[in-house]
Amino acid sequence: MKVYSLSLLSVTPNTPAVATLLGTAQDLGSFSFYQRGSVGEFMTFFTKTVAERTPVNQPSSVEENNYKAHVFRAPGRTPGGLGMAAVMITDLEYPYRPAFSLLTKLLDEHAPLLAQLPSPSAAPSFGAASAAAFGGNPSTAAAGGLPPAQKGKVEGTLASYLAKYQDPKQADTIMKVQKELDETKIVLHKTIESVLERGEKLDNLVERSNALSAQSKMFYKTAKKQNSCCVIM
């Protein structure tokens, strides 16, 4: 059993929703050195795709090829405010209970971050607007993300949990103090296509994505033709 990725995202309440990474941690040691860059990009792409298309308060697992994305999305603290989603990408054998117990724990622990994020309808700060105008690096907070220092702290926490939850049995001991998870409430999807909007195709999303490099897009197409186990498809 393997956990490949653990992420926390802010999600806008509008439709279509837009997710922004607050932090992510990945363990790609099982992939070859030359594949890790492309696989990492697809993990992030897969994470944002399921976070944006999963309804609020509906724990879901999306199975695609040899991977599962477990996702739990919480609503914003105020009407029209940013919500938060936690996403864990594992192999097919990883059990549901530790996955969703961790996602719930992450959302509870990081709920105060929502108060620090700007409203989706808020105008960008002067600093962010100036940086964008002059080609600099705009504040991530203006886009629903976190400043670098805070992001680093979140990613440190995610990396710690990523390592700890590689062993579900050890994680299960940690979870004994938590409430039992009602697994009947988890919505299971056999393919990512089932969570996409009607008429959407993953191939088209990949082609249009600005987050994927040309190399990663080519890797995706090649892997899909060969039915490779080394890429999210």
Side-chain angles (χ1 to χ4, degrees), residues 64-143:
E64 192 64 29
N65 202 16
N66 292 318
Y67 306 90
K68 272 192 298 195
H70 308 283
V71 55
F72 199 2
R73 179 177 163 191
R77 288 185 158 189
T78 58
L82 286 170
M84 187 178 288
V87 181
M88 184 182 197
I89 298 179
T90 70
D91 61 13
L92 298 180
E93 286 73 37
Y94 200 89
Y96 296 106
R97 192 161 77 96
F100 282 99
S101 291
L102 175 55
L103 297 183
T104 302
K105 182 179 177 68
L106 282 172
L107 291 173
D108 288 343
E109 289 180 351
H110 292 87
L113 286 178
L114 289 176
Q116 303 173 36
L117 298 175
S119 166
S121 59
S125 66
F126 175 77
S130 298
F134 291 101
N137 183 23
S139 167
T140 53

Side-chain angles (χ1 to χ4, degrees), residues 166-215:
Q166 292 293 345
D167 181 1
K169 291 181 180 177
Q170 180 182 352
D172 205 44
T173 302
I174 300 170
M175 293 182 304
K176 283 179 181 175
V177 296
Q178 300 179 23
K179 273 178 144 177
E180 284 293 317
L181 175 72
D182 185 355
E183 293 189 13
T184 63
K185 294 182 179 179
I186 300 172
V187 179
L188 306 179
H189 300 278
K190 284 298 182 183
T191 69
I192 193 173
E193 303 287 351
S194 62
V195 301
L196 300 181
E197 296 292 332
R198 182 174 297 179
E200 277 188 318
K201 296 294 182 184
L202 185 58
D203 287 354
N204 295 337
L205 293 179
V206 168
E207 193 59 39
R208 296 197 306 265
S209 174
N210 293 325
L212 296 173
S213 64
Q215 180 180 354

Side-chain angles (χ1 to χ4, degrees), residues 9-20 48 51-52 73 82-83 143:
L9 309 92
S10 64
V11 187
T12 61
N14 53 292
T15 302
V18 177
T20 301
K48 292 186 68 176
E52 291 170 347
R73 179 177 163 191
L82 286 170

